[in-house]
Amino acid sequence: MTAPVLHDRIPDDVLEGAFRPLPGTRPLAPDDWLRRDGAYGAQMAARAALLGTRRDQVLAALPDAAAAMSELFRMVCDVLRRDPGYRFCDRDVVCPDGRVVSLTADDPVAILAQLVQCDFCLLDRMPGARQHSLRAAALCFPASWRLSDKIGRPLSTIHAPVSPYDDAMARRVQRLFDGVRAGAGLWRANLLSYADPALFQPRHPGAAKPRPTDGQGFLRSERQTIIRLPKTGTVVFSIHTYQVRVGSVTEDLRGRLEARAGQRRWAESEPRLKAARS
């Protein structure tokens, strides 16, 4: 069994973002779109392994997404050229962990999956459609969903298993995707508990997720950014995954997690209590 890929801690700003009420978005600083942290080497090794063995499960693209994928590729490379950890050499780039990645392949999102820690989902509102739908993605670290179930599907279907995602929330999220402006992105975060530390966790819709025992397991947090590509107008949803052992978190965070779990149990039980009283 390979050792789990873990962080020393989840950044404070990400944790605070995870406790904000849904959808919990905040303005994204222009120079804080792509992050690189101490888990870079281990996460990139995990990504390389997935691209080698599960490529059809972590990459997907519809034909209409070609222009947006190329634009995203150019934008990410422009950001990385300003990062001293990367060295661009003609048609190759030397990454911070020493890997050399060729930039000549005709699959730009696959190249991006080898350069940066975050996953990318490209969403667009097609002519006549009421919602954005998923047009392409590099998704090496899915948190309990499968790319094959979501590609080509609208936002409401993508989020169907999320319990707080009702019709009102769906309208709010669609307005958010409609309103995000190029150069003025947004970000949000979540906080999830897992018994298994694997970063690649696809799960069939409706399949139960194993629950960690008390004091055990792992906390997984996704820092998600939402930006609009200036030329194609496509929305890019990026996901940077952090993961720590539950036993390593502070007492303050443990208390906040226990309080939130109690609130969720009450929210889930309240409709049943009301029904029982009527």
Side-chain angles (χ1 to χ4, degrees), residues 8-9 55 57 185 201 228 238:
D8 294 333
R9 57 189 290 274
R55 189 180 182 90
Q57 297 179 51
Q201 292 227 24
R228 186 179 298 281
S238 74

Side-chain angles (χ1 to χ4, degrees), residues 194-240:
Y194 277 85
D196 183 347
L199 290 169
F200 179 69
Q201 292 227 24
R203 190 159 281 110
H204 186 277
K209 183 179 76 172
R211 293 182 177 273
T213 57
D214 290 343
Q216 303 298 316
F218 303 84
L219 282 179
R220 176 170 174 152
S221 183
E222 296 176 328
R223 180 183 184 262
Q224 304 166 347
T225 72
I226 305 167
I227 69 165
R228 186 179 298 281
L229 298 176
K231 292 184 179 179
T232 60
T234 298
V235 173
V236 178
F237 184 83
S238 74
I239 308 165
H240 187 120

